Amino acid sequence: MELDGRVAVVTGGARGIGKAICARLAARGATLAVVDVLKDTAEATAAEFRAQGIAATAFAANVAVPAEVERMVEEVMTACGRLDILVNNAGITRDGLLIRMQEADWDAVIAVNLKGTFNGIKAVVRPMMKARYGRIVNIASVVGVMGNAGQANYSASKAGVIGLTKTAAKEFASRNITVNAVAPGYIQTEMTDRLSPEARQAFLSLIPLARAGTPEDVAGAVAFFVSPAADYITGQVLHIDGGMVM
Ligand code: NDP
């Protein structure tokens, strides 16, 4: 299979979109490093994968903390001997109108979504540069492109991820490391389960394909970016949003 022998690190891989990405990459032959803040949470998902005959190991790291991400990458290198793919998927929301947004909510979202992506890229590029091969996919969002009332922190973090993706793509291209992003729209996960029925309806009314997306819809696009079919693609942002943004 096309990802045979490749080791893939997926942050926030224990549930939601991250778990679907893990399943899709494993189905193409990748060995999984499932990363979550809590080791137990990551281990529960890794154990589920192992029960299906998939090579999967759990690692703990809060992506907002550089030292934890560096340690996690060292552990992956020790356990798996290599690291070919990084999916920066871990993300959080702390919604509220800007006028009432607390500084702590701004800082927390930027720390996990934007700095967490920076931390991940910084920690993996040395082994990838040595190997002259790397595939990095960052999970952005449509709201990083179009904005969204009540999500100043989140949309700023995701717009930042898009700028970071393009800059990293330029800096690492000569080492055969591609860096791309996917921008999901309204995807059904625990994150969007927290939306009010009104907010959910408002999103649905903007989607030409007239349905919410699934984690598997996003996983397919990530699998494309890390596949040989995308070897000549870098610095791109692929919208997985049922046509919400055109
Ligand atoms: P979920 O909330 O369902 O899952 C997020 C995962 O990230 C959880 O496993 C969570 O761990 C983990 N996580 C959170 N904070 C950290 C951290 N500091 N360090 C490591 N892991 C962490 O979210 P989704 O699956 O919906 O979202 C995945 C990504 O997709 C996010 O980046 C999100 O912003 C993005 N996205 C989602 C959309 C949607 O509609 N759902 C739309 C656009 C983008 P734990 O279980 O321990 O909390």
Side-chain angles (χ1 to χ4, degrees), residues 15 17 36 61-63 89 139-140 154 158 184-185 187 189 191-192:
R15 63 182 164 90
I17 292 171
D36 218 288
N62 178 348
V63 297
N89 164 80
I139 311 299
Y154 185 77
K158 295 300 188 176
I187 310 296
T189 66
M191 183 180 270
T192 45

Side-chain angles (χ1 to χ4, degrees), residues 41-183:
T41 312
E43 177 51 32
T45 299
E48 255 182 64
F49 284 126
R50 286 196 299 271
Q52 298 163 36
I54 292 167
T57 310
F59 298 89
N62 178 348
V63 297
V65 181
E68 290 194 23
V69 179
E70 282 159 26
R71 178 193 34 76
M72 175 273 291
V73 166
E74 279 168 22
E75 288 172 2
V76 172
M77 290 299 292
T78 304
C80 307
R82 57 189 296 151
L83 197 171
D84 306 281
I85 295 165
L86 169 67
V87 184
N88 283 306
N89 164 80
I92 60 168
T93 52
R94 295 280 186 278
D95 295 351
L97 291 174
L98 196 152
I99 199 161
R100 286 196 292 269
M101 187 171 281
Q102 300 294 313
E103 186 182 351
D105 290 335
W106 171 271
D107 288 346
V109 169
I110 299 293
V112 174
N113 299 5
L114 180 54
K115 190 175 172 193
T117 302
F118 166 77
N119 292 337
I121 295 172
K122 203 151 180 237
V124 299
V125 288
R126 279 184 212 288
M128 285 182 177
M129 278 163 57
K130 254 196 205 156
R132 300 228 158 226
Y133 179 91
R135 296 289 174 263
I136 298 174
V137 183
N138 301 322
I139 311 299
S141 167
V142 283
V143 306
V145 178
M146 67 181 204
N148 194 27
Q151 292 198 305
N153 48 3
Y154 185 77
S155 56
S157 74
K158 295 300 188 176
V161 165
I162 291 172
L164 174 59
T165 298
K166 293 178 182 183
T167 297
K170 288 185 176 178
E171 290 192 12
F172 303 123
S174 65
R175 307 300 176 98
N176 190 30
I177 299 169
T178 65
V179 189
N180 291 290
V182 298

Side-chain angles (χ1 to χ4, degrees), residues 148 186 194-205:
N148 194 27
Y186 172 29
R194 285 192 290 270
L195 289 172
S196 68
E198 297 76 34
R200 223 171 284 166
Q201 199 46 49
F203 268 126
L204 280 173
S205 69

